[in-house]
Amino acid sequence: TSASTSATTPTANLNNLVAQASSWCTSFGILMGARELDTRQPLGDLIVEPAPFSLFPTEFPQSSFETAYELGKPFNALVHNVCSQQDWLLDEAIVNAAQGDPDFTGRLVSLARDVEAKGRAQNLVLGLLRSDYMLHKPDGTGDVTGILQVELNTIASSFGCLSTKISKMHKALHGEVDTNLPPNSADEGIAKGIATAYQEYQKQYPDSKNVAVVMVVQPGETNSIDQRDLEFVLKTKYGVPVVRKTLAELAKCQYRANNSELLLDGDSGLVAGVVYYRAGYTPDDYPSDTEWKGRSTVEHSSAIKCPDVFYHLFGAKKVQQELTRPGILAKFSTEATLLESCFAKLYALDDENYEDVINMALKDPHLFVLKPQREGGGNNLYDDDLVKALRTITKEERGAYIIMQKIQPPSTTGVLIRRGKIVYNGDVVCELGVFGISLRDYSSSENIAMDEVVGHILRTKSVQTDEGGVAAGYAFLSSPKLV
């Protein structure tokens, strides 16, 4: 059965396929921590269930898929070029967002300035970037005009491993009929990036014997399977040890006496060679100053960060909007025209013409999204909520928000599964994320240890849903069927 005919599949066959696919998820570990259905509270560490998924692969135009991959390396380079020129990033692009959001964006900017003042202890930085796109079909009429970028994630870009497995599941169940299912090796590529950084660190510190990768995690993480998968690939394929730490635990770590090497507290002489964040992207991850101390301790160490605080700040919505100002992108990219082709219309609320922008959005709220400086899903404001926020927003708060054109994706049909049951059968839209890996050097733009586009993730949701995060409970994992 192909995705395009999912609506016509007989019910008995459909139920059989649901059982088969859900079992495939269980057998091959497409799993997430189970939650209470009503309260969404995690049930416990190793109580797991299949991740929400799409029964069929989702149709996606081949030309748009290829464009998304083509954009990968230019974005890898853009992120590094902007972060290498910190004056623009800190003093121009993000300054108003830091004032409007002092407890989170503001503290990240303070940390970045602190690193600037004291000097970097490590010039290499690992970017594990995921650029998310949606197809755009203006006003629901005419043809799809291509893809527009939703956002570029620079911290804790997740689901690389589970997405790779979803691609394999769809191939196993539908591959005889749907032949145009592109290969996906996001898991191997992400592991290669972290392993390459680990090897670079060993070259820098040949006398350090017990070097490990630190994965920074949230206490009570429900997406640990996707993380553990990566840990097991690193161990089995590259012999790289991984230890999991929370920000609070990292606050207890010390530096080696004669340099900035980060010694892991209570881990018998282990040194952090690479620190890979799967937490730290939301204010909820910093309930006290202890967590900020943990972040700062890592930032001033010689560990290779993924990301460092500059790459983290690049991912702010405000930076995304500032890069769309005329003439700005060309300062940082030799491929500005290609990159601009995927930019949606983005508007600042801290300009002198902010009243015009607000009035434009109030006149047609269904055409816009109000975005704060937040990651992780569930934060954007639409329709009535957008109107209410724009009517009450203060001058100080305005810098912490941007307004974005609402992308209008075309719909296709889909069957969405949660806990072995069909929870939705109807029109769906999708979002394609492409993983780029970049290992670059602040002290030498020529020194590029890795620059690759390694795989993708496709998330599908019902046409009624505005938000898009799988971990946040809005979206279902799928894979593209190229048409």
Side-chain angles (χ1 to χ4, degrees), residues 69 71-77 127-129 185 188-190 192-193 196 238 434-440 448-455:
Y69 265 73
L71 286 160
K73 285 188 181 179
F75 271 119
N76 286 355
L128 201 167
L129 314 172
S185 52
E188 295 282 343
I190 293 166
K192 181 184 172 187
T196 306
Y238 295 99
V434 175
F435 290 99
I437 312 286
S438 158
L439 182 56
R440 281 172 156 86
I448 301 173
M450 188 168 170
D451 182 24
E452 290 183 25
V453 185
V454 297

Side-chain angles (χ1 to χ4, degrees), residues 160-223:
C161 295
L162 294 194
S163 293
T164 305
K165 294 184 194 173
I166 284 278
S167 294
K168 287 177 181 164
M169 178 187 82
H170 281 156
K171 217 172 190 79
L173 297 185
H174 310 293
E176 288 173 17
V177 180
D178 291 337
T179 50
N180 209 0
L181 304 178
N184 188 7
S185 52
D187 56 348
E188 295 282 343
I190 293 166
K192 181 184 172 187
I194 294 171
T196 306
Y198 178 86
Q199 290 153 4
E200 289 294 322
Y201 186 88
Q202 288 184 308
K203 286 182 203 166
Q204 291 177 351
Y205 293 91
D207 297 336
S208 284
K209 295 296 174 259
N210 297 333
V211 180
V213 169
V214 176
M215 194 181 289
V216 185
V217 295
Q218 294 168 327
E221 172 65 71
T222 56
N223 188 24

Side-chain angles (χ1 to χ4, degrees), residues 250-262:
L250 288 167
K252 299 182 188 139
C253 295
Q254 306 288 324
Y255 303 122
R256 203 188 282 287
N258 57 344
N259 61 24
S260 312
E261 282 198 287
L262 187 63

